Amino acid sequence: MTSLPENLETIAVDRPVEHVARISLVARAMTPAFFDELPRAVAALDDDPGTRAVVVTGADGRFSYGLDLMAAAGSLGPVLGDPTAANREAFLRHLRGLQASITAVADCRTPVVAAVQGWCVGGGVDLITAADIRVASADAVFSVREVRMAMVADLGSLQRLVGIVGDGHLRELALTGDDVDAAEAQRIGLVNRVYATPDELAGAAVELASRIAANSPLVTRGVKDVLDAERGPRVEAGLRYVAAWNAAFLPSADLQEAFTAFAEKRKPQFG
């Protein structure tokens, strides 16, 4: 197996069966360290000839609570306090870097299965939409939560979900920020299958990855390449657009109110 980056703090990597690697999200939320470690781990596995399928899963009863809001507030601080062109351009570069971290999963030549238990919020949904296949346990809950934080989701959900759940379901998810349980997620096509317990999910995800890994690696990579020929350029164009939109309009009184309300544990009041 190709050596992995050392001293990973936010993810863990193991090999449950031959030819299958598993990435577990150790951190509850997506910190700056997570966005650095994820693409490095994915690249190492993608370069490993012994890895023919990858499972991405959570830990401690949840998948991911999404972006670390305190860290996000730090990155937004300069542009909120002084919304000059230079600060907005710096934020645009920062946002494009976060997008690239999630896109590393979508660009992985090796097939990726996302196994979701518990909460999968915001950036967590961005991540699973970058996977090839999604499965869940019955306790899974999904939310494109950004709209409730006065943000336009900008790490890939708006671009990739349209090819997964369809335009109508995507708009409902993105415009309401509602929580969606596993049964509803399966009904709209967000996940392929739902398993009764997290243990059943874990076994089923590895078994599914093993069935993929039993096929020709050249051909499974070819299938991904052909399927992504249309989606890839469309998603990239959408990511560039939303990054520019958020760099221009994300700093707002509504965003400040959303972060204040979050810190005060109350419902925001938008103007």
Side-chain angles (χ1 to χ4, degrees):
M1 178 176 176
T2 302
S3 60
L4 287 168
E6 296 181 354
N7 302 319
L8 296 175
E9 298 176 356
T10 67
I11 62 176
V13 181
D14 70 326
R15 188 178 292 279
V17 297
E18 186 179 16
H19 297 312
V20 174
R22 179 168 53 199
I23 296 175
S24 299
L25 309 186
V26 176
R28 293 164 57 87
M30 296 176 168
T31 63
F34 170 83
F35 286 104
D36 172 65
E37 293 176 358
L38 178 66
R40 292 194 290 126
V42 169
L45 293 174
D46 204 24
D47 287 340
D48 176 27
T51 300
R52 299 182 181 181
V54 176
V55 174
V56 178
T57 191
D60 301 326
R62 49 89 194 126
F63 187 78
S64 175
Y65 292 115
L67 190 66
D68 184 317
L69 290 179
M70 293 302 100
S75 66
L76 276 165
V79 73
L80 283 172
D82 185 17
T84 61
N87 281 341
R88 290 178 189 270
E89 198 272 336
F91 178 70
L92 175 63
R93 291 198 310 271
H94 169 72
L95 181 51
R96 290 292 287 164
L98 301 185
Q99 291 177 340
S101 179
I102 301 299
T103 296
V105 176
D107 288 346
C108 181
R109 298 169 302 164
T110 306
V112 179
V113 176
V116 182
Q117 60 172 313
W119 286 97
C120 179
V121 177
V125 178
D126 293 310
L127 177 54
I128 67 169
T129 62
D132 298 290
I133 301 169
R134 289 149 296 280
V135 292
S137 56
D139 67 340
V141 181
F142 305 83
S143 177
V144 183
R145 189 67 62 89
E146 287 87 347
V147 69
R148 290 162 61 178
M149 292 300 298
M151 299 178 180
V152 176
D154 54 18
L155 299 187
S157 288
L158 301 188
Q159 290 72 36
R160 296 186 175 101
L161 272 173
V162 69
I164 298 169
V165 303
D167 187 71
H169 291 307
L170 165 57
R171 288 174 186 265
E172 182 173 348
L173 292 170
L175 291 171
T176 65
D178 285 348
D179 298 338
V180 174
D181 64 20
E184 178 68 3
Q186 183 178 26
R187 188 188 72 80
I188 66 177
L190 178 56
V191 300
N192 288 15
R193 281 176 289 280
V194 175
Y195 299 91
T197 69
D199 286 343
E200 289 184 34
L201 168 69
V206 170
E207 194 274 334
L208 173 58
S210 295
R211 299 205 316 270
I212 295 170
N215 294 315
S216 160
L218 173 65
V219 173
T220 58
R221 290 180 172 187
V223 168
K224 287 197 60 170
D225 190 44
V226 171
L227 290 174
D228 289 342
E230 179 277 331
R231 185 179 77 164
R234 173 180 59 78
V235 169
E236 172 59 18
L239 288 172
R240 282 186 173 277
Y241 186 84
V242 72
W245 199 99
N246 270 356
F249 297 113
L250 183 61
S252 66
D254 282 347
L255 182 67
Q256 291 177 320
E257 164 63 10
F259 272 78
T260 301
F262 176 79
E264 296 176 353
K265 299 181 179 180
R266 61 172 175 82
K267 186 176 180 179
Q269 300 295 319
F270 299 126

